[in-house]
């Protein structure tokens, strides 16, 4: 909790630089080609002239050589005689074991390189500049980890049709039957434009009945969709089921993981937003284990609003598995999923049904 508060304070400090004094520092961006830039920040012109003492070419060569080895926490560059370029020359690369606070959600990242509240508190009054710059990031990590959110609509199908085509009592209302998923995802580069998205997450199915006047009940042998008492004025009826999932989707990313980065930096605080480049698509599979189940029925009786919520398995299958397709272009990602097994256990679905499979589609944030 302390680190979350620290991160939120950092974001406020970053977004309100007027709390600090104006800076007279200079920033120079040197564009070498369409893929490389050197950004130099100095407090004044005199400090910029001092950079002439550094052998930048040798630094870059040694850095490239070091990056080809295993993951590095710190590189202290040395010249051919075993001496540092200058007494204070140290390049820090990667996270290593330092106590940085990093929060990543979707295409946003907040990084705070401060250990204590007092460190950030001091920066409110320090003479620190706010730097804004853009650059294109190459996909150099073998595996990159991030969090995302799936948000969309779900329904269920009988064979090749939806139940509402036959006015079935278990027909689902397309708008309002929400699907929501929280995912921890890894993207591993395989070769060329081929990547593998894999990870775990928690998701919720919410099937809202087309006809609000529907009582969802667990019968002796199967789930039942019954009419409520005549005195009820029905408002809403739905069935929900959460699942713990694992997912594996091979992806073709023709931009090879490149992203455009917008960076906002002040002191020990760094806030970045990423925008993916090019087109990408893939298809793979998933499997999930049910964590629970519940129904909600909202109605009025005698001008009094009532809400009945009940928990149970409702003959929902314990395991789900299916296929997932993803497609994206620049900052937009879409997904679709289809369960290959039925929503309810064998011969436990509603009377008259011919097997019901969940289908979902939406956007990934």
């Amino acid at each position: 909790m302390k680190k979350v508060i620290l991160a939120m304070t950092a974001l406020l400090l970053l977004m309100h630089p007027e709390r600090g004094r104006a800076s007279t520092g200079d920033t120079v961006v040197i564009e070498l080609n369409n893929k490389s830039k050197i950004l130099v920040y100095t407090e004044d012109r005199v400090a910029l002239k001092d950079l002439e003492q550094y052998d930048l070419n040798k630094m870059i060569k040694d850095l490239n050589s070091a990056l080809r080895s295993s993951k590095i926490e710190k590189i202290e560059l040395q010249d051919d005689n075993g001496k540092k370029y200058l007494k204070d020359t140290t390049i820090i690369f990667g996270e290593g074991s330092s106590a940085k606070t990093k929060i990543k959600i979707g295409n946003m990242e907040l990084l705070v390189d401060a250990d204590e509240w007092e460190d950030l508190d001091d920066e409110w009054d320090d003479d620190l500049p706010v730097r804004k710059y853009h650059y294109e990031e190459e996909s150099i990590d073998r595996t990159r980890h991030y969090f995302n959110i799936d948000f969309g609509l779900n329904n269920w199908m009988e064979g090749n049709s939806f139940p509402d085509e036959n006015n079935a009592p278990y027909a689902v209302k397309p708008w309002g039957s929400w699907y929501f998923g929280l995912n921890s995802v890894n993207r591993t580069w395989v070769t060329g434009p081929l990547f593998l998205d894999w990870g775990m997450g928690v998701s919720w199915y919410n099937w809202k009945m087309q006809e609000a006047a529907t009582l969802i009940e667990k019968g002796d042998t199967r789930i039942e969709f019954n009419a409520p008492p005549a005195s009820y004025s029905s408002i809403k009826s739905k069935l929900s089921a959460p699942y713990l999932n694992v997912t594996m989707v091979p992806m073709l990313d023709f931009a090879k993981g490149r992203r455009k980065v917008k960076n906002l930096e002040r002191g020990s605080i760094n806030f970045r937003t990423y925008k993916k480049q090019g087109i990408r698509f893939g298809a793979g599979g998933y499997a999930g284990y049910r964590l629970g189940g519940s129904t909600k029925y909202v109605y009025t009786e005698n001008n009094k609003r009532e809400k009945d919520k009940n928990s149970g398995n409702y003959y929902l299958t314990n395991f789900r598995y299916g296929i997932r397709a993803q497609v994206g272009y620049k900052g937009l990602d879409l997904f679709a999923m289809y369960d290959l097994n039925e929503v309810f256990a064998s011969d436990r679905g509603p009377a008259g049904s011919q097997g019901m499979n969940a289908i979902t589609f939406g956007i990934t944030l």
Side-chain angles (χ1 to χ4, degrees):
M1 187 65 181
K2 179 180 178 182
K3 283 188 174 291
V4 173
I5 296 175
L6 185 68
M8 296 305 297
T9 303
L11 188 57
L12 289 174
L13 174 59
L14 186 64
M15 301 307 293
H16 297 281
E18 65 274 8
R19 291 295 299 270
R21 295 187 297 274
S23 170
T24 58
D26 293 324
T27 300
V28 179
V29 178
I30 305 173
E31 295 192 13
L32 303 179
N33 52 45
N34 61 347
K35 294 183 178 180
S36 302
K37 295 180 182 179
I38 295 178
L39 187 144
V40 180
Y41 172 79
T42 60
E43 291 297 331
D44 50 43
R45 300 293 178 88
V46 175
L48 181 62
K49 184 173 179 60
D50 289 342
L51 292 178
E52 295 178 3
Q53 303 175 60
Y54 289 80
D55 187 347
L56 297 181
N57 289 333
K58 189 65 167 59
M59 285 183 183
I60 294 173
K61 288 180 182 179
D62 285 358
L63 179 59
N64 281 326
S65 176
L67 294 179
R68 286 193 288 270
S69 62
S70 59
K71 188 172 181 179
I72 304 155
E73 176 185 351
K74 177 182 288 188
I75 306 169
E76 293 188 355
L77 298 178
Q78 297 181 345
D79 62 18
D80 295 333
N81 298 320
K83 298 179 180 179
K84 293 181 180 179
Y85 294 105
L86 282 178
K87 190 174 181 179
D88 61 347
T89 303
T90 300
I91 294 179
I92 305 298
F93 178 80
E95 298 172 44
S97 57
S98 59
K100 296 181 180 179
T101 301
K102 179 184 286 188
I103 298 177
K104 293 182 68 175
I105 301 177
N107 67 335
M108 297 182 294
E109 175 182 288
L110 176 64
L111 178 65
V112 183
D113 191 10
D115 298 333
E116 300 293 339
W117 177 281
E118 291 77 9
D119 296 339
L120 280 179
D121 190 43
D122 291 341
E123 290 187 0
W124 286 86
D125 300 316
D126 285 347
D127 186 13
L128 297 176
V130 174
R131 298 189 295 136
K132 299 179 182 180
Y133 53 92
H134 301 174
Y135 62 94
E136 186 169 89
E137 180 185 71
E138 298 285 344
S139 179
I140 59 175
D141 297 332
R142 186 74 181 186
T143 297
R144 176 178 288 158
H145 176 262
Y146 56 95
F147 292 93
N148 65 30
I149 298 173
D150 286 338
F151 184 73
L153 302 171
N154 51 234
N155 206 321
W156 45 41
M157 298 188 69
E158 286 187 288
N160 297 320
S161 62
F162 294 101
D164 58 354
E165 296 179 14
N166 300 315
N167 295 318
Y170 44 85
V172 169
K173 189 174 185 178
W175 187 258
S177 297
W178 306 113
Y179 177 89
F180 183 73
L182 300 173
N183 308 299
S184 173
V185 182
N186 298 284
R187 168 164 285 198
T188 300
W189 175 70
V190 180
T191 182
L194 180 61
F195 291 77
L196 181 65
D197 282 9
W198 56 280
M200 298 182 62
V202 180
S203 63
W204 288 263
Y205 280 130
N206 289 280
W207 292 285
K208 186 177 182 181
M209 296 299 100
Q210 179 71 52
E211 178 55 60
T214 304
L215 283 179
I216 306 172
E217 300 174 312
K218 184 179 180 181
D220 294 335
T221 59
R222 61 177 66 244
I223 190 169
E224 298 177 356
F225 295 81
N226 300 319
S231 60
Y232 289 3
S233 179
S234 301
I235 299 174
K236 178 171 63 176
S237 179
K238 74 171 186 175
L239 171 67
S240 302
Y243 282 85
L244 177 66
N245 311 297
V246 293
T247 306
M248 187 171 294
V249 180
M251 295 287 297
L252 287 175
D253 185 345
F254 294 100
K256 297 183 180 180
R258 288 195 297 270
R259 305 183 297 183
K260 281 191 174 180
V261 181
K262 293 183 180 181
N263 195 83
L264 186 63
E265 182 178 305
R266 185 174 191 263
S268 60
I269 311 156
N270 195 300
F271 180 70
R272 297 182 185 131
T273 58
Y274 304 92
K275 182 179 289 186
K276 297 176 183 177
Q277 293 295 93
I279 189 170
R280 55 202 170 273
F281 60 86
Y286 59 87
Y289 181 75
R290 186 174 59 84
L291 301 177
S294 63
T295 60
K296 179 192 290 186
Y297 176 60
V298 183
Y299 62 99
T300 59
E301 185 180 23
N302 298 324
N303 295 323
K304 183 179 179 181
R305 185 183 176 96
E306 303 285 354
K307 182 188 299 182
D308 293 340
K309 297 180 67 176
N310 298 287
S311 300
N313 62 21
Y314 291 94
Y315 299 113
L316 291 160
T317 183
N318 288 329
F319 293 94
R320 63 184 285 248
Y321 58 90
I323 54 176
R324 177 184 174 104
Q326 300 175 194
V327 61
Y329 178 68
K330 293 189 175 181
L332 179 64
D333 286 273
L334 306 175
F335 76 93
M337 299 190 299
Y338 180 76
D339 284 10
L340 295 176
N341 64 321
E342 297 180 12
V343 174
F344 301 101
S346 180
D347 298 323
R348 301 295 187 182
S353 66
Q354 302 176 9
M356 299 158 64
N357 300 75
I359 184 171
T360 308
F361 58 90
I363 63 175
T364 299
L365 305 175

